[in-house]
């Protein structure tokens, strides 16, 4: 990976993407959007990468679009160019959902605007107690429904809280975000890296195909009826039962030992 707008590191089964504009609170640029999307699409084919961590450097995770490099430029765009930009932002969320590997958003500080949408699109959110979050779009006269927020947020926190967060654009502190289920875990800043690494290691040791199928089902079945969901799950589960990981899982259970799934780090 040759990203220029953020740091990319691959260590063993883990790929780590670090937003690297700390002086701008990791605000997004057009280039960051494009490169993030391209990187995630490329990672989808990497069988050696089993978990992706997305974090930021400095005192913020991401504060949304850069005021000068994006917001100021958008004021000059015509309708067609504006539509191209909004499609660009949505392509990133789509790439996150399509990625077979689990994504952990490791939230090292405040999360706002498009940064909140990116965190929401991750599969897990581990945050410091300083990582307050806000979907700020209405604060600048736009719809709170941006980058899939009106689709995803109600499914995570419920319609009532999602309505409040998207229509007011107000910040929610980390403790409240955890209480309503938006954050999976909140820790002191000095423990963020450890907590993220522990979750990443646990996922990396899991069955890659089984986790990918779980992520796909969670996304796919959101708009299915129960009968269709049951049919989908039955077909996928029958296919996975033919694979080596199922046999290993059973053997490990019978031997009362941890399973050693195919390709997983020891």
């Amino acid at each position: 990976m040759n990203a220029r707008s953020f740091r990319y590191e691959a260590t063993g089964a883990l790929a780590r993407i670090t937003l690297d504009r700390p002086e701008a609170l990791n605000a997004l640029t057009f280039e960051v959007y494009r490169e993030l999307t391209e990187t995630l699409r490329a990672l989808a084919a990497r069988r050696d990468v089993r978990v992706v961590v997305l974090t930021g450097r400095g005192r913020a995770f991401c504060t949304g679009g850069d005021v000068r490099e994006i917001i100021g430029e958008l004021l000059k765009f015509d309708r067609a160019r504006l539509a191209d930009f909004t499609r660009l932002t949505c392509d990133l969320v789509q790439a996150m959902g399509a990625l077979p590997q689990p994504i952990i958003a490791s939230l090292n500080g405040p999360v706002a605007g498009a940064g909140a949408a990116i965190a929401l699109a991750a599969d897990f959110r581990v945050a410091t107690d300083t990582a307050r979050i806000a979907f700020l779009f209405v604060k600048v006269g736009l719809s709170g429904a941006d980058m899939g927020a009106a689709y995803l947020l109600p499914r995570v926190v419920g319609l009532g809280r999602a309505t409040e967060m998207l229509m007011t654009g107000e910040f929610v502190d980390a403790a409240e975000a955890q209480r309503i289920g938006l954050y999976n875990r909140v820790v002191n800043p000095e423990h963020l890296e450890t907590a993220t690494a522990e979750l990443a290691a646990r996922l990396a040791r899991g069955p890659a195909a089984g986790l990918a199928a779980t992520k796909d089902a969670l996304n796919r079945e959101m708009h299915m009826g129960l009968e269709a969901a049951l049919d989908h799950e039955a077909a996928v589960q029958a296919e996975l039962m033919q694979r080596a990981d199922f046999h290993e899982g059973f053997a490990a259970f019978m031997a009362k030992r941890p399973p050693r799934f195919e390709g997983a780090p020891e």
Side-chain angles (χ1 to χ4, degrees):
M1 302 294 176
N2 297 312
R4 298 182 304 173
S5 61
F6 51 81
R7 293 184 183 182
Y8 174 84
E9 304 164 279
T11 306
L14 173 67
R16 186 179 184 90
I17 295 170
T18 304
L19 301 177
D20 195 22
R21 304 182 70 229
E23 72 288 347
L25 300 181
N26 296 318
L28 301 165
T29 65
F30 296 114
E31 184 179 33
V32 175
Y33 273 117
R34 292 190 187 95
E35 286 202 319
L36 279 175
T37 302
E38 291 167 0
T39 298
L40 291 168
R41 286 175 174 165
L43 283 172
R46 290 277 300 274
R47 297 191 64 183
D48 57 317
V49 172
R50 299 172 74 92
V51 183
V52 176
V53 169
L54 180 58
T55 191
R57 187 163 75 90
R59 60 189 180 91
F61 170 71
C62 177
T63 53
D66 188 278
V67 172
R68 293 183 178 85
E69 295 197 35
I70 286 187
I71 308 303
E73 290 300 308
L74 293 179
L75 296 174
K76 308 171 188 176
F77 285 9
D78 60 18
R79 181 184 291 270
R81 292 185 71 192
L82 288 170
D84 288 342
F85 168 71
T86 53
R87 184 64 256 174
L88 175 71
T89 67
C90 291
D91 284 347
L92 173 55
V93 173
Q94 195 166 35
M96 293 177 71
L99 188 73
Q101 300 94 322
I103 301 173
I104 303 171
S106 185
L107 307 177
N108 54 296
V111 187
I118 291 170
L120 176 62
D123 302 299
F124 299 88
R125 287 159 291 280
V126 179
T128 71
D129 53 19
T130 63
R132 59 181 190 150
I133 184 168
F135 296 83
L136 294 174
F137 308 111
V138 296
K139 295 284 191 178
V140 293
L142 298 175
S143 167
D146 194 11
M147 295 176 66
Y151 182 84
L152 294 171
L153 191 59
R155 291 165 169 79
V156 176
V157 304
L159 181 59
R161 286 313 303 266
T163 300
E164 181 180 357
M165 293 180 71
L166 297 182
M167 285 195 173
T168 68
E170 298 293 340
F171 274 97
V172 171
D173 66 31
E176 178 66 4
Q178 183 180 30
R179 190 190 71 80
I180 64 178
L182 182 53
Y183 289 173
N184 298 93
R185 187 174 178 191
V186 173
V187 297
N188 293 331
E190 60 269 26
H191 297 147
L192 179 65
E193 188 170 342
T194 299
T196 301
E198 288 175 351
L199 177 57
R202 182 177 181 182
L203 292 167
R205 290 192 299 268
L211 292 177
T214 303
K215 177 171 178 174
D216 178 66
L218 287 167
N219 290 329
R220 186 189 302 267
E221 293 179 24
M222 283 187 193
H223 50 267
M224 283 184 181
L226 177 59
E227 184 176 354
L230 290 171
D231 287 343
H232 171 73
E233 291 184 6
V236 171
Q237 203 75 307
E239 195 277 328
L240 290 173
M241 286 174 178
Q242 300 176 75
R243 298 196 179 190
D245 278 349
F246 179 59
H247 292 271
E248 165 59 15
F250 177 72
F253 178 80
M254 295 302 292
K256 298 183 179 179
R257 61 169 174 79
R260 295 185 292 271
F261 293 119
E262 190 174 22
E266 296 185 4

